[in-house]
Amino acid sequence: MVQIGYTMMTEQAGPRDLVDHVVRAEEAGFDFSVTSDHYFPWLRAQGHSPYAWTVLGAAAQATSRIPLMTYVTCPTFRYHPAVVAQKAATMQLLSEGRFRLGLGAGENLNEHVVGGGWPSVDVRHEMFEEAVEIIRALFEGGHVTRHGTHYDVDSARLWDLPDEPPPIGVAVSGERSCALAGRLADLVIATEPQAGLLEAFDRNGGEGKPRVGQLPICHDADRDTAVKRAHSQFRWFGNGWKVNSELPHPDSFEAATQFVTPDDVAASIPCGDDPDDFVEAVRPYVEAGFTEVALVQIGGDAQHAYLDWSEKTLLPALRSAFG
């Protein structure tokens, strides 16, 4: 049985709307939710980027059942890992055990704002591994002092620590990140249905752990409207991680995607209201071995119609197909 999730995409809706949407997602019957953690939207057309952790705290109080998760937080530039550990522990307490901490190596788009530069990917991976180790140590309780290659921690302690710390998820894109995830993570995160990533995760200690994927979709009763919206707000998605992690500004993504057509987008993102199209888009994740798939409905103003349709049509179709 594959669990189906809802994505609070901070790049396309304001904070009050995001909380309203996840409340409705819980009512509609989604199995879990995830939340992006951005400082900038990918494209100006998306138009938003509130602080994800404040939204999560509000969502924890406004909901009662649906699990919450960052997808993903970068613990290396905007946030010191000791602060990420504190935020995550607090979220686990506020949500009464419904929170998972999804972590990733980040994108220049969001991390450049603190003026620390954007080093090579090898250095970013070193920083990320050190950050995850610090967070793990703080979750264990007691005082933590470390003087590492990239971070210093001076007698830090989490004074409000839940009985069960939040599970840590690590986003993967290649062999090195899979090795780190297998060793340090409780679950693995990916945005493409690549079985090879999950196999590498298993080889490095991840066997039996949850694996969470994410899929953009664009529901609308009028397919042409859905394709137009997906092109306007999500044409960056096909760039791939190696490009998306390097570009520093929404205008950079505008330039990088200027020749992407609506047909190009529609070929990779299911659009319209035929549930069979959405089921077939989820299928590669299921066949690759993902245990959870978080759907991203494109368009902040298109959430309520999508959630109503999901409750009546999409979720029953997905559960019929995949458990």
Side-chain angles (χ1 to χ4, degrees), residues 240-255:
W241 178 81
K242 288 185 178 181
V243 174
N244 289 342
S245 65
E246 300 294 341
L247 299 179
H249 194 274
D251 291 347
S252 307
F253 284 87
E254 296 280 357

Side-chain angles (χ1 to χ4, degrees), residues 130-289:
E130 191 173 323
V132 176
E133 290 172 346
I134 289 168
I135 293 167
R136 276 279 185 213
L138 285 164
F139 281 173
E140 292 174 1
H143 288 82
V144 174
T145 297
R146 291 194 177 199
H147 300 288
T149 303
H150 300 285
Y151 300 103
D152 289 329
V153 181
D154 185 4
S155 191
R157 176 187 171 187
L158 300 180
W159 287 88
D160 289 279
L161 190 64
D163 292 336
E164 294 291 333
I168 293 176
V170 167
V172 299
S173 59
E175 189 69 33
R176 181 170 180 177
S177 55
C178 287
L180 185 151
R183 181 167 58 86
L184 293 177
D186 302 300
L187 57 132
V188 68
I189 294 166
T191 57
E192 295 180 280
Q194 295 183 16
L197 293 175
L198 303 186
E199 292 164 1
F201 177 61
D202 288 346
R203 287 195 303 271
N204 288 282
E207 190 170 357
K209 297 177 182 179
R211 50 236 32 227
V212 187
Q214 190 176 53
L215 171 69
I217 63 175
C218 197
H219 163 264
D220 197 283
D222 182 81
R223 187 176 184 276
D224 290 342
T225 298
V227 171
K228 183 178 179 180
R229 187 192 317 130
H231 178 259
S232 173
Q233 297 193 23
F234 237 81
R235 63 185 181 274
W236 57 271
F237 189 75
N239 289 340
W241 178 81
K242 288 185 178 181
V243 174
N244 289 342
S245 65
E246 300 294 341
L247 299 179
H249 194 274
D251 291 347
S252 307
F253 284 87
E254 296 280 357
T257 59
Q258 61 182 309
F259 300 116
V260 177
T261 68
D263 287 343
D264 293 333
V265 173
S268 60
I269 296 175
C271 296
D273 67 349
D274 184 344
D276 290 342
D277 292 341
F278 296 80
V279 168
E280 291 309 307
V282 170
R283 191 177 302 280
Y285 289 84
V286 178
E287 293 177 347

